[in-house]
Amino acid sequence: MAIMTLEHSSRPQFHVTPPQGRLNDPNGVFLDPQDRNIIHVFYQHDPGFPHAAKRTGWAHTTAALTGPDALRWRHYPNALYPDAEYDSHGCYSGGAVIDKAGNVKLFYTGNRKTIDPASGEESRHATQNIVHADAVSDDYMGGVYRKDAANPLIPAPHTGYTAHYRDPMITIDPETESGWRMVLGAQRADETGAVVLYRSVDLYQWEWGGELQFDTATATPGRAPDLVPGGYMWECPNLITMRDQVTGEVLDLLIVCPQGLAATTDSSGTTHYANSDQCGYLLGRVSGTAMKIHSGFSELDNGHHFYAPQIIGETFADDRHVVAETAILIGWLGLPGQDDMPSLDSEGWVHCLSTPRRLSIHDGKLRQQLILPTADNAVPVENQQNKNIPKVSAGNAWWARLYPNGQNVTWTLVDSNGGSGLEIRVESGESAAIAITGDAGLRRLAINVDELLVYIDGCVVEVEVNGGEACFSTVAFPPNGERWVTFHKECD
């Protein structure tokens, strides 16, 4: 049997992938209390997939954000297993928080399924639970994790909601002097999506706050067709307070993942809701359970594969760490139900996480900038303006800055055998847009493009437009053990 080497593998070098099995949502993201340059990322992990029954737990990785070893992910033993009655069918997604004593606490949704003996119908039971994470800075074990005896802290959905009630994300409550706020993704009894809030003074006793309501009376449209999206379920909510870097205004950033939106293309040719499951954000101000929308719904990523991100504050404008100047985001480069990827058969793993992005708000608009490995570890390729970029002679990780210079340009990704792959087209002038075409179809956004940063790492292609005005993420496997080595450029 041939031995698979990194040179012939599509596994990314600087993105989180599971050693084996299936990865999905990032969970419990936090910056290490002893060294805030170290980011901890847990993720949903089914190590036996697809050969064993689903048994979702949490895997654990860390990496430096800067320095010579930036984004070299270190894997530890899995942190959570579905071994309690209340999570017997999965430790589902959740977040992390560092308490006032500097201790790390993980929160997650426990999933339990039961069968009615009379009718044979299956029921789902969702609970919200806390885990004590000790010695998380341990270089060998990556921590000791203990589920609290008081679990479940929230034993059932609130009245009026179904068992699709999950993904707790906790922050310091900006409306109290010393409390905490939790947001949960929820499905109402009429099978529509919502975000609900809870509040606590001690992280253990949680009081129902209510459903988040939206005031759009003075809202300006985002990039999506809806000021507030619909859908049958909203997953993986994130709510964080940030300061606008230009105006100084304090705004709340709400990220949600609505399921069940109908794909559409607008008059500019922009594709909306093109993936099976969506992810986007709103900007406004939250008071109690009311959010006054300033900027309506915009898709967070315009590519083919992006879902279920988590965000954490990185730098802050205040001593309480309530108002973030910048935040770190990391997402899942996959989608529910789309596990048929070449790596599963060839190497026994499927899906990966995005590179971390640094978020900031500039003049009322969200900016997302890709965090890259050092130039010593991944190759920055010089773009010769109007020429094809040089071929990358070795390694799977590289990036290039591409400039359309006011022209209509098509860049085609080329593999080491000369084969063509993903296509990036920029149109200039009155119909200015970027369009990316791959195996999963066309994704297009109407925008004036001055510069593209394209980051290739194995099967991952991530594109940053105009310094972070927009992002596209796509998983594109090169054929037959080849690797992506260059772009071919053509101008109309």
Side-chain angles (χ1 to χ4, degrees), residues 1 27 39 63 75 81 128 132 142 144 180 199 399 475 491:
M1 181 177 70
N27 294 155
I39 188 169
H75 293 257
Y81 298 87
Q128 314 311 320
H132 305 278
V144 177
W180 305 91
R199 287 185 163 85
W399 70 84
V475 175
C491 299

Side-chain angles (χ1 to χ4, degrees), residues 7 55 141 147 166 200 214 265 297 355 382 396 438 472:
E7 182 180 357
R55 198 166 182 269
M141 292 300 294
K147 297 174 183 177
R166 54 182 175 263
S200 175
F214 300 100
T265 301
F297 192 63
T355 195
E382 175 110 18
N396 286 353
F472 290 75

Side-chain angles (χ1 to χ4, degrees), residues 29 33 44 100 144 163 170 199 307 344 367 381 454 462:
V29 179
Q44 295 277 277
K100 295 163 189 173
V144 177
I170 293 88
R199 287 185 163 85
Y307 194 65
L344 191 58
R367 182 177 294 178
V381 181
V454 184
E462 292 179 278

Side-chain angles (χ1 to χ4, degrees), residues 88-380:
S88 57
H89 290 81
C91 300
Y92 281 10
S93 290
V97 69
I98 299 175
D99 69 14
K100 295 163 189 173
N103 301 311
V104 177
K105 309 295 182 185
L106 307 180
F107 287 80
Y108 73 99
T109 297
N111 182 45
R112 181 171 67 93
K113 297 178 180 178
T114 58
I115 304 293
D116 186 297
S119 66
E121 293 184 358
E122 182 180 88
S123 297
R124 177 195 298 262
H125 306 270
T127 59
Q128 314 311 320
N129 307 285
I130 188 171
V131 176
H132 305 278
D134 299 322
V136 294
S137 301
D138 187 292
D139 285 341
Y140 298 99
M141 292 300 294
V144 177
Y145 301 90
R146 296 176 293 110
K147 297 174 183 177
D148 197 281
N151 286 340
L153 303 184
I154 302 175
H158 192 74
T159 303
Y161 300 89
T162 75
H164 293 285
Y165 201 79
R166 54 182 175 263
D167 312 332
M169 189 265 195
I170 293 88
T171 58
I172 295 172
D173 188 348
E175 298 185 67
T176 65
E177 291 186 2
S178 59
W180 305 91
R181 181 177 65 191
M182 175 193 291
V183 290
L184 282 169
Q187 182 187 65
R188 303 183 188 98
D190 65 359
E191 297 187 355
T192 56
V195 170
V196 299
L197 284 75
Y198 286 81
R199 287 185 163 85
S200 175
V201 296
D202 61 3
L203 294 173
Y204 290 91
Q205 302 295 321
W206 290 92
E207 294 185 359
W208 168 251
E211 180 180 317
L212 193 59
Q213 305 291 330
F214 300 100
D215 177 0
T216 60
T218 59
T220 59
R223 285 194 174 132
D226 306 297
L227 286 176
V228 177
Y232 63 81
M233 171 65 189
W234 287 8
E235 292 194 303
C236 305
N238 290 255
L239 180 58
I240 189 171
T241 304
M242 301 188 71
R243 189 180 73 89
D244 191 305
Q245 300 291 293
V246 176
T247 67
E249 184 178 14
V250 174
L251 293 168
D252 292 303
L253 170 66
L254 174 67
I255 294 176
V256 293
C257 294
Q259 297 178 301
L261 303 183
T264 184
T265 301
D266 68 21
S267 59
S268 72
T270 295
T271 53
H272 299 289
Y273 311 151
N275 298 331
S276 59
D277 299 84
Q278 307 307 319
C279 175
Y281 67 92
L282 303 106
L283 283 171
R285 283 299 284 149
V286 173
S287 177
T289 58
M291 183 172 188
K292 186 178 180 65
I293 303 299
H294 290 203
S295 177
F297 192 63
S298 294
E299 289 164 86
L300 197 59
D301 190 283
N302 296 93
H304 301 83
H305 304 98
F306 189 87
Y307 194 65
Q310 280 212 345
I311 54 174
I312 53 166
E314 180 191 25
T315 60
F316 294 89
D318 66 315
D319 293 338
R320 284 188 67 205
H321 285 193
V322 171
V323 181
E325 299 274 9
T326 60
I328 301 295
L329 174 148
I330 190 164
W332 172 29
L333 298 189
L335 291 166
Q338 296 190 15
D339 301 325
D340 187 17
M341 296 289 180
S343 60
L344 191 58
D345 287 336
S346 63
E347 300 178 40
W349 62 273
V350 63
H351 300 313
C352 62
L353 301 182
S354 71
T355 195
R357 300 177 186 178
R358 180 165 286 112
L359 304 188
S360 55
I361 299 174
H362 294 255
D363 204 15
K365 299 183 184 301
L366 185 67
R367 182 177 294 178
Q368 307 177 68
Q369 295 178 302
L370 305 182
I371 297 176
L372 302 176
T374 64
D376 292 335
N377 293 325
V379 181

Side-chain angles (χ1 to χ4, degrees), residues 18-28 41-49 52-61 76-84 87-94 106-111 131 145 147 167 353:
Q20 65 178 31
R22 181 180 187 270
L23 166 155
N24 56 294
D25 308 3
N27 294 155
V41 178
F42 300 80
Y43 61 84
Q44 295 277 277
H45 188 210
D46 273 291
F49 182 86
K54 187 176 181 181
R55 198 166 182 269
T56 307
W58 283 27
H60 181 203
T61 63
Y76 299 95
N78 280 13
L80 298 182
Y81 298 87
D83 53 10
D87 63 19
S88 57
H89 290 81
C91 300
Y92 281 10
S93 290
L106 307 180
F107 287 80
Y108 73 99
T109 297
N111 182 45
V131 176
Y145 301 90
K147 297 174 183 177
D167 312 332
L353 301 182

